[in-house]
Amino acid sequence: QRAAIVDLQFQNNTLESVNVTFEELHDSHHQPCPIVQTIVDKRLAALDNMKDFTVIDANTMLAEYFVDSSTGKGLPLSSEFSRFQQTTVGGFFCSAVKQELDADVCVINGAPMLASKTYGDGFMSYQQLTSELPYPLKIIIVDMTRKQLRDAIEYSREHVEEGKSARVLDDGRLERRGYLHTDFEYWRQSLTCESNELDDNEVISVALPRNLLKGFCSIEPLIDLNKELEEKNALPNEDDYIKAVDIIVRFCCKDRWSTICSQLSFEDLDLNGDGVLSSDEIRAAVQLILGEEEATMELVNSMIEAIDTNADGQIDEQEWNQILARMRK
């Protein structure tokens, strides 16, 4: 085994030189550092604890969309047959991304949704979320016309990739890796006559996985769009994306903030009156409003990260007001 030793030399806060050397590792010369091991163990333990906390609660988050608008019956939180049909998990993921990134529409194809599971109680933990989306699904936002979007959705639901095998269900439906799921609002809109009243030439912002533009799942209208955007130099930079899981967690944490903000004021939570909300004060609010089981430090820390714009580990009144503004939209 070999180790890379990187020596960075700075002068007046400016990087002057980088020197990289390699050294053979021998157990007798390189014993584990107790301090580093403690830090690593602590981080790994935090990750283990994080797996169990509830991220999605369909009973309270976007709950109005878990009711069939035609029958009034409840809809389960489910990702089953995501390569064959629009699912409520797909609708939730897309709606979370759309709202968090302030896009007009969001689409995500069925291929990366791998769990194929129904969540009978409406809850999805962080571990279950990462099982649904185990790969780093890179979300970007691009502009397109409503017709281009509709053509892409229809194409994804009608065509099977050339050279790819596809399962066939008993009812005759074919498996399609590229089957595009949409956010709840677009989904409902497409089921009504409202969609016919929209201007096909209207340019809208659409959040979607970057790889679909590059040809993954061979959705031809999106491949054509990619060429068009390249010619206009209108494509996002390669590193200009956000992972879908991170967006969904952030959305769900802000939703919990909205629940707390609707019942308590900043002054109610600021128990010691120092003008900021600490993790302990936030945890007390979560216990009071959402219940003891919800009040894990992993959830509290994720809630802080979701709105802590100055990254000081606390929530000030300005950051709190951002949640209030979100609720007024």
Side-chain angles (χ1 to χ4, degrees):
Q1 294 182 335
R2 305 174 73 200
I5 301 173
V6 182
D7 183 17
L8 306 178
Q9 296 191 5
F10 291 83
Q11 182 70 30
N12 297 326
N13 293 323
T14 301
L15 181 63
E16 292 288 330
S17 65
V18 179
N19 182 44
V20 181
T21 59
F22 293 90
E23 182 178 325
E24 295 293 334
L25 289 180
H26 301 288
D27 291 341
S28 60
H29 296 124
H30 297 277
Q31 296 300 321
C33 174
I35 297 175
V36 172
Q37 190 63 51
T38 300
I39 295 172
V40 170
D41 290 343
K42 183 178 180 181
R43 295 296 183 187
L44 290 176
L47 287 174
D48 286 338
N49 292 333
M50 187 177 181
K51 291 177 182 178
D52 296 325
F53 89 76
T54 299
V55 176
I56 295 174
D57 178 1
N59 304 292
T60 59
M61 300 174 183
L62 303 174
E64 66 273 21
Y65 292 109
F66 287 91
V67 177
D68 189 312
S69 56
S70 58
T71 66
K73 294 182 178 179
L75 297 172
L77 179 65
S78 175
S79 61
E80 291 193 57
F81 303 113
S82 61
R83 298 186 180 194
F84 297 86
Q85 64 185 14
Q86 168 84 47
T87 66
T88 51
V89 163
F92 190 100
F93 288 171
C94 290
S95 297
V97 171
K98 170 193 169 181
Q99 292 191 34
E100 194 59 32
L101 299 186
D102 199 24
D104 293 315
V105 181
C106 175
V107 293
I108 296 175
N109 58 308
M113 298 183 213
L114 298 183
S116 190
K117 178 181 175 67
T118 294
Y119 304 86
D121 56 4
F123 297 117
M124 185 185 296
S125 69
Y126 182 81
Q127 185 172 24
Q128 290 170 326
L129 172 60
T130 55
S131 294
E132 286 284 359
L133 298 174
Y135 305 115
L137 197 62
K138 300 176 180 179
I139 302 295
I140 62 172
I141 296 179
V142 296
D143 288 339
M144 65 180 79
T145 65
R146 286 194 177 275
K147 183 178 186 307
Q148 286 174 313
L149 174 61
R150 188 176 66 250
D151 288 348
I153 293 172
E154 290 177 355
Y155 187 96
S156 76
R157 297 178 177 185
E158 294 172 359
H159 292 77
V160 177
E161 291 175 84
E162 190 174 338
K164 297 289 184 181
S165 60
R167 287 181 296 156
V168 183
L169 298 182
D170 292 340
D171 59 11
R173 284 181 293 169
L174 285 171
E175 178 184 27
R176 294 176 172 89
R177 297 194 312 156
Y179 193 106
L180 288 178
H181 297 238
T182 71
D183 58 82
F184 283 127
E185 184 178 1
Y186 189 95
W187 182 5
R188 282 197 174 175
Q189 199 174 63
S190 66
L191 299 176
T192 68
C193 59
E194 289 181 31
S195 59
N196 298 323
E197 301 171 1
L198 300 173
D199 182 3
D200 275 355
N201 296 316
E202 180 187 1
V203 177
I204 56 175
S205 60
V206 179
L208 78 169
R210 177 192 287 277
N211 60 3
L212 295 181
L213 291 178
K214 295 185 174 183
F216 181 63
C217 296
S218 303
I219 304 174
E220 290 297 334
L222 293 182
I223 295 173
D224 293 340
L225 174 65
N226 188 67
K227 294 175 183 176
E228 178 186 320
L229 295 174
E230 275 186 334
E231 292 173 359
K232 296 178 180 178
N233 197 28
L235 280 170
N237 295 326
E238 283 297 316
D239 57 352
D240 189 12
Y241 66 85
I242 306 179
K243 294 178 183 178
V245 167
D246 295 343
I247 302 172
I248 294 164
V249 170
R250 194 167 69 189
F251 168 83
C252 293
C253 287
K254 288 183 179 179
D255 186 271
R256 285 181 168 87
W257 274 116
S258 297
T259 301
I260 292 172
C261 290
S262 68
Q263 300 183 48
L264 297 172
S265 68
F266 185 87
E267 289 74 20
D268 291 332
L269 270 67
D270 186 14
L271 301 177
N272 62 3
D274 64 354
V276 294
L277 305 181
S278 67
S279 59
D280 288 337
E281 290 169 328
I282 295 167
R283 188 177 188 183
V286 173
Q287 287 177 324
L288 178 64
I289 303 299
L290 302 177
E292 182 71 33
E293 290 184 359
E294 289 280 319
T296 65
M297 285 311 301
E298 290 73 33
L299 172 61
V300 171
N301 290 335
S302 294
M303 289 176 62
I304 292 173
E305 290 174 8
I307 65 171
D308 184 17
T309 54
N310 63 5
D312 66 351
Q314 305 174 104
I315 302 304
D316 59 35
E317 195 159 7
Q318 183 177 356
E319 292 162 338
W320 172 271
N321 288 335
Q322 290 177 4
I323 296 298
L324 295 180
R326 173 191 174 96
M327 293 169 60
R328 297 188 190 105
K329 285 187 178 181

